Amino acid sequence: MVAHVIGVYAQKGGVGRSLVAANLALTYKERLKKEALLFLCKAPYAGDGLLALGEKSAPSAVDLEDHLDRGKDAWLAKVARHRQTGLFVLPLCLEVEQAVRATHQVVGRSIRLASESVDVVVIDLDVACPDVLSAAIDHCTEMLLVTTPDLLCLNQSLKAIDYLQAHYFPRDSILLVVNQLRESAPIRLSFIEHNLKLRASAVLPLETALVESSLNRGQPLATTNPRHAISRSLFNLAEAISRRPVTRHAVVLKRPSRNSATIVASEAISYGIPRSELIALKQKIHRKLIEEMNLKQMDYETMVNPDKRLELYRATEFVISRILDKDAAWITSRDDRVQLVREILNEALGLGPIEYLLADDSVSEIMVNGARRVFVERKGQIELTPFYFTDEPQLRRVIERIVVRVGRRIDEKSPMVDARLPDGSRVNAIIPPLAIGGSALTIRKFSKFPLTSETLLKLGSLNLQMSKFLQACVVARKNTIISGGSGSGKTTLLNILSGTIPPNERIITIEDSAELQLPQVNVVRLETRPANVEGEGTVSIRDLVRNALRMRPDRIVVGECRGAESMDMLQAMNTGHDGSLTTVHANSPGDALSRLETMCLMAGLDLPARAIRKQIASAVQIIVQQTRLSDGSRKITQVTEVCGMEGEVTTMQDIFRFRQDRVLRDGPVEGQFEATGNIPTFLDLLRPKGIELPREVFLRQR
């Protein structure tokens, strides 16, 4: 069922808003024979509307909050019916004590259930509570603006139109109801329509005595006097609304908040015009937006202040809606207008089209190859999206907006940058002249939900025996290196293993872009710093590793070893900071050791290769090889122990491995995890530390 959800709105009281709402709802029920619900959306004095209907009390939306999760039929059965007409009547709340529970969530969910249950929902809107009002308006398919022929009310009505436009109602879609009109009044109907730039959809004459009698007796005109001019006018209005198509069930806006001043949408739409014209329209609106608001300055000034950022988003949203009324009045669908305002707002203040992808939980990585090509990774598979940036300058603005938040810069002198988003997602950007085809942006999304070993088990990344062994290695303070290629899940595994470090230990994490989110309390997070404009002030991972040794760490966790810091890390592992963890880029455990050796040579120390190799063999005990398979799945393919040196060779033994059996066409990689039969050399040393791992765990299954 697709219901008309009609909001009856006025910026000031005393104009007859409740009279219009109640009689309109009764008109639908009595004369048009439609199932209707009247929602008295006031907090806390919704009881006034009940008296006008001749009712003394009714269950409120707050009273029925516990029934919202039980489905529309169970909820609607609890809503009161008008005793004479059968109209559903739902006050928001009736007592002052209930007002605190009259939240925008209750309002939104109640309207959604009502719109799924009846033919028409009429909402008596109150301006006293902005959050409740905004939540109700966001669900309306039609909006009635009630005004009276006096200058004060007309001035307030102009403000009401601005407010409704900010909620994506085009001016032409607002239905004007002129109440209390007298033929001899100095302010004529033509004057009202001219100044409000709206045609009246209904005109109600001034009938003071009749209306007062109706209210006092609790007998609405729609039922007691259906032939009166007021009743006839509302009947014509109700019929006209019924003939209008309902273009959407309900628009639920994710409006800006203090913590996230970002508006997101679910999908891209074309608005029925060619893509080139849409781009031109967006560019035109964006230019006008810049003319009216100094967005660049305001954007930077408000980036770190949630309250100012929210204020900026709301102000910008209003200006965009006003510009749309002038330059894109042909977009009459509120759905389309909501979407277009969101897109322009994201482009002006947010991260443009990638806002939609950041909000999509199925996307794990976003790859922007120039302004017109945006790829994503879903479940390990890469696909091209319908989203795009308007042009290269817009993409550059988005990149600058990201790096400014973390105190970094990107320009021709420094055309590459690593950064992060507020949610922890890792960002890499590179711009021309290094990126020949246009700026490239890569975002590795940060999981909203903390991953655990149980998560990896469910995903099939390892088996239970491997999980127990790796956790035992971490607790037993075995120095561990996670090896793997790009996108194989090294950082995710590092985060999970680091999360099993006992809570009584002091942990220092060191990263280029802070991604690790450890649950322990005694954690110090360090992040590198690039050079400033003068080329000075660089703080590298090596600098931070050296400094971490002076911070009394029990464990040092380095996000990734990729250079000379490897030597400092190995020395730390060999000098009392055992149990440390890091990652390296390598395709096998053997390659990981070779890469460590190469990176140690980058430290500039005049040491023979054998000395470095011996240092590595004594420092590293476990190498975990993480691999991204052809089907996109990520698995631990080897768990290898470094046993020591034999002559010039570092000896290793696999403890566990993943045996790949076959790859199905367009299907998953089939295989199984297995123990190799090799017993870790340190197994007997685990028992004194309270760690029990039976030898059967490591025996090869036949």
Side-chain angles (χ1 to χ4, degrees):
M1 180 184 296
V2 180
H4 287 277
V5 181
I6 306 168
V8 184
Y9 180 59
Q11 191 70 19
K12 66 182 292 290
V15 300
R17 183 194 69 246
S18 296
L19 170 79
V20 171
N23 282 277
L24 183 65
L26 287 168
T27 297
Y28 275 109
K29 179 61 180 174
E30 286 277 272
R31 303 187 63 184
L32 295 178
K33 307 304 179 184
K34 293 183 179 294
E35 200 72 271
L37 183 145
L38 175 62
F39 187 21
L40 305 171
C41 195
K42 304 179 183 180
Y45 303 114
D48 296 345
L50 289 177
L51 292 176
L53 293 168
E55 300 288 347
K56 294 183 180 180
S57 64
S60 70
V62 171
D63 293 328
L64 302 181
E65 182 180 5
D66 294 338
H67 295 271
L68 290 172
D69 294 325
R70 301 179 185 177
K72 60 183 182 181
D73 295 331
W75 176 82
L76 190 65
K78 299 292 183 180
V79 178
R81 283 184 181 265
H82 185 258
R83 63 177 182 271
Q84 294 179 345
T85 65
L87 171 73
F88 288 103
V89 183
L90 181 67
L92 176 56
C93 64
L94 298 174
E95 304 293 339
V96 174
E97 293 79 6
Q98 288 185 327
V100 68
R101 294 169 52 201
T103 63
H104 63 90
Q105 291 94 342
V106 171
V107 171
R109 295 175 67 195
S110 298
I111 296 174
R112 280 198 297 275
L113 274 182
S115 66
E116 294 170 1
S117 308
V118 299
D119 301 313
V120 179
V121 180
V122 179
I123 308 176
D124 184 2
L125 297 165
D126 187 21
V127 299
C129 185
D131 287 343
V132 168
L133 174 64
S134 180
I137 286 179
D138 285 342
H139 289 78
C140 292
T141 59
E142 282 84 21
M143 185 59 62
L144 306 188
L145 175 61
V146 183
T147 190
T148 55
D150 64 84
L151 291 178
L152 177 59
C153 189
L154 291 181
N155 184 56
Q156 293 292 325
S157 295
L158 286 172
K159 296 179 180 178
I161 291 171
D162 286 342
Y163 181 81
L164 294 176
Q165 285 180 297
H167 282 71
Y168 311 108
F169 281 98
R171 180 183 286 267
D172 292 343
S173 71
I174 300 171
L175 304 177
L176 180 64
V177 177
V178 181
N179 191 24
Q180 302 174 12
L181 186 68
R182 292 181 292 121
E183 292 186 3
S184 59
I187 296 180
R188 316 287 292 182
L189 178 62
S190 58
F191 179 86
I192 297 172
E193 292 178 330
H194 174 76
N195 282 273
L196 297 184
K197 296 181 176 58
L198 290 174
R199 296 281 297 175
S201 298
V203 178
L204 312 183
L206 177 64
E207 295 282 1
T208 305
L210 182 64
V211 170
E212 287 182 354
S213 173
S214 169
L215 293 174
N216 290 335
R217 290 184 290 118
Q219 297 178 347
L221 290 174
T223 55
T224 61
N225 201 340
R227 296 182 180 275
H228 191 273
I230 293 177
S231 301
R232 291 202 310 272
S233 185
L234 290 176
F235 174 76
N236 292 335
L237 176 61
E239 271 198 326
I241 293 175
S242 295
R243 290 193 293 267
R244 292 163 62 114
V246 182
T247 56
R248 71 187 196 293
H249 185 76
V251 171
V252 184
L253 307 177
K254 182 181 177 182
R255 309 192 68 80
S257 65
R258 291 187 76 256
N259 296 325
S260 176
T262 300
I263 298 180
V264 298
S266 58
E267 58 183 10
I269 54 177
S270 64
Y271 311 100
I273 64 174
R275 176 169 164 174
S276 58
E277 293 183 23
L278 179 60
I279 292 175
L281 174 63
K282 287 184 179 181
Q283 290 173 333
K284 180 180 180 181
I285 294 173
H286 193 73
R287 284 195 301 271
K288 290 194 173 186
L289 190 62
I290 292 175
E291 291 173 5
E292 293 199 33
M293 306 177 70
N294 189 351
L295 289 180
K296 188 178 180 83
Q297 180 182 355
M298 293 175 70
D299 191 12
Y300 293 167
E301 289 177 352
T302 58
M303 198 61 70
V304 295
N305 188 315
D307 293 319
K308 289 186 177 180
R309 186 169 66 244
L310 175 58
E311 182 181 343
L312 171 61
Y313 265 76
R314 287 179 172 170
T316 308
E317 183 181 24
F318 171 71
V319 174
I320 295 172
S321 295
R322 192 173 63 205
I323 295 173
L324 274 178
D325 266 339
K326 296 179 181 178
D327 296 293
W330 47 269
I331 301 180
T332 57
S333 165
R334 192 177 175 219
D335 270 347
D336 289 357
R337 183 166 289 234
V338 167
Q339 185 78 358
L340 186 55
V341 172
R342 285 171 170 174
E343 290 179 7
I344 297 171
L345 188 59
N346 280 333
E347 292 170 6
L349 298 177
L351 302 183
I354 61 176
E355 291 281 10
Y356 315 128
L357 303 175
L358 289 170
D360 187 345
D361 292 336
S362 68
V363 173
S364 58
E365 193 147 4
I366 303 167
M367 295 151 281
V368 181
N369 302 349
R372 301 302 171 87
R373 297 187 303 278
V374 179
F375 294 84
V376 296
E377 181 186 71
R378 284 191 175 93
K379 298 181 179 179
Q381 301 299 320
I382 295 176
E383 60 187 63
L384 179 65
T385 74
F387 299 102
Y388 58 90
F389 289 84
T390 302
D391 47 30
E392 173 68 17
Q394 187 212 347
L395 175 55
R396 286 285 292 273
R397 285 193 297 270
V398 167
I399 293 174
E400 290 170 0
R401 200 167 288 138
I402 292 172
V403 302
V404 162
R405 291 178 178 178
V406 290
R408 312 226 167 163
R409 66 186 182 92
I410 187 166
D411 50 37
E412 290 186 3
K413 291 184 179 180
S414 179
M416 297 182 293
V417 70
D418 287 318
R420 68 179 185 278
L421 297 179
D423 68 353
S425 297
R426 186 171 65 190
V427 178
N428 175 269
I430 183 167
I431 63 174
L434 300 187
I436 298 174
S439 300
L441 176 66
T442 308
I443 300 177
R444 178 77 54 80
K445 285 180 61 178
F446 183 79
S447 176
K448 296 180 181 178
F449 308 101
L451 299 178
T452 63
S453 298
E454 288 72 22
T455 307
L456 295 183
L457 288 170
K458 290 179 181 178
L459 294 174
S461 296
L462 76 174
N463 64 13
L464 183 60
Q465 290 76 18
M466 296 165 67
S467 176
K468 289 181 178 180
F469 176 68
L470 291 177
Q471 291 183 50
C473 290
V474 173
V475 174
R477 304 181 67 89
K478 298 301 174 183
N479 294 321
T480 302
I481 290 179
I482 300 170
S483 168
S486 296
S488 60
K490 298 187 301 298
T491 303
T492 299
L493 182 58
L494 177 65
N495 203 82
I496 292 173
L497 293 183
S498 300
T500 63
I501 296 174
N504 61 336
E505 298 187 23
R506 179 173 171 82
I507 308 168
I508 311 293
T509 68
I510 301 170
E511 301 172 86
D512 270 333
S513 294
E515 294 180 80
L516 298 176
Q517 298 283 346
L518 305 188
Q520 295 89 338
V521 177
N522 194 1
V523 177
V524 178
R525 303 175 70 203
L526 304 180
E527 185 179 52
T528 61
R529 185 180 68 187
N532 58 21
V533 178
E534 291 77 23
E536 301 175 347
T538 302
V539 179
S540 66
I541 284 186
R542 187 173 193 186
D543 296 327
L544 294 178
V545 171
R546 289 174 172 176
N547 188 78
L549 297 176
R550 306 184 187 99
M551 298 175 66
R552 200 267 175 212
D554 289 309
R555 311 267 189 147
I556 298 176
V557 180
V558 178
E560 182 181 346
C561 280
R562 61 178 67 163
E565 69 274 1
S566 301
M567 177 58 76
D568 301 287
M569 184 69 181
L570 291 173
Q571 289 177 347
M573 290 177 171
N574 273 323
T575 55
H577 301 95
D578 49 345
S580 297
L581 299 98
T582 189
T583 71
V584 297
H585 274 82
N587 294 324
S588 69
D591 288 346
L593 294 182
S594 299
R595 182 161 168 75
L596 278 176
E597 184 177 335
T598 302
M599 290 188 292
C600 287
L601 292 172
M602 296 168 61
L605 299 177
D606 189 17
L607 292 175
R610 189 179 189 282
I612 294 176
R613 206 169 294 138
K614 188 173 182 180
Q615 181 93 334
I616 294 172
S618 61
V620 179
Q621 283 95 45
I622 296 294
I623 299 176
V624 183
Q625 185 66 37
Q626 181 84 6
T627 304
R628 181 173 178 268
L629 302 180
S630 58
D631 63 351
S633 63
R634 295 169 172 86
K635 297 185 185 297
I636 295 176
T637 52
Q638 286 174 274
V639 177
T640 303
E641 180 190 9
V642 180
C643 302
M645 293 279 294
E646 288 186 3
E648 300 291 325
V649 180
T650 304
T651 60
M652 299 183 293
Q653 63 173 0
D654 286 344
I655 307 300
F656 296 98
R657 65 189 171 202
F658 175 74
R659 189 185 72 228
Q660 182 173 316
D661 295 331
R662 61 175 179 164
V663 180
L664 300 177
R665 183 185 298 272
D666 298 326
V669 173
E670 290 189 348
Q672 58 184 332
F673 298 103
E674 61 182 13
T676 62
N678 296 321
I679 306 298
T681 58
F682 55 81
L683 182 62
D684 293 335
L685 301 177
L686 298 181
R687 190 171 293 105
K689 297 182 179 182
I691 302 170
E692 292 288 343
L693 277 179
R695 288 180 176 269
E696 289 74 15
V697 169
F698 307 101
L699 297 181
R700 180 180 297 179
Q701 300 296 322
R702 295 183 179 179

